[in-house]
Amino acid sequence: STLTMNQKENFFTLLLKHEKEGTFAVTKDEEGFIFIDRNGKMFEYILEYLRTGEFHINFTKTWFNEKQIQQELQFYGIEYPE
C-alpha cells in the first residue's frame, strides 16, 4: 500500500502490523476506518510524499509552515527530506 511501500518503519507500518497481529487496539470510526486524530489537510501533502518520494509544498501559499509539517512527519515517524 502507499502508506507502507518504499518506506522505513513508521507510524503506518507499525499500526498496520500490530492491527493485523491483534497486538494493538486501533480507533475506528462508525464505518470501520482507522481514525487518526491529526490534521487531514496537512496529511494530503504527507500522503503525496509517501506516494512520490517528493515534497511539492510552496509554504508561501499554504496556511501552515515548514516547522508544522516537520512536526507532523515526526509524529508519523517519517524523516523530513533534505
Side-chain angles (χ1 to χ4, degrees):
S1 91
T2 298
L3 299 178
T4 59
M5 69 180 195
N6 300 322
Q7 291 291 320
K8 298 177 185 175
E9 190 170 75
N10 61 48
F11 177 86
F12 303 106
T13 60
L14 292 172
L15 177 73
L16 296 174
K17 175 185 170 187
H18 289 291
E19 182 195 27
K20 183 177 180 180
E21 294 172 353
T23 57
F24 182 74
V26 298
T27 303
K28 295 189 177 185
D29 68 11
E30 61 277 349
E31 296 178 27
F33 295 106
I34 295 173
F35 176 75
I36 302 168
D37 191 13
R38 300 302 286 188
N39 189 301
K41 298 274 187 198
M42 218 179 294
F43 187 70
E44 293 177 31
Y45 295 94
I46 294 171
L47 183 58
E48 188 63 25
Y49 172 66
L50 291 172
R51 288 179 176 145
T52 65
E54 298 177 2
F55 261 119
H56 301 284
I57 303 174
N58 181 344
F59 291 108
T60 62
K61 295 185 178 186
T62 63
W63 55 269
F64 58 89
N65 61 40
E66 190 171 10
K67 183 176 181 179
Q68 290 170 302
I69 198 78
Q70 288 174 336
Q71 289 171 334
E72 286 296 294
L73 288 170
Q74 183 178 14
F75 173 83
Y76 293 117
I78 301 168
E79 291 181 26
Y80 187 74
E82 298 298 322

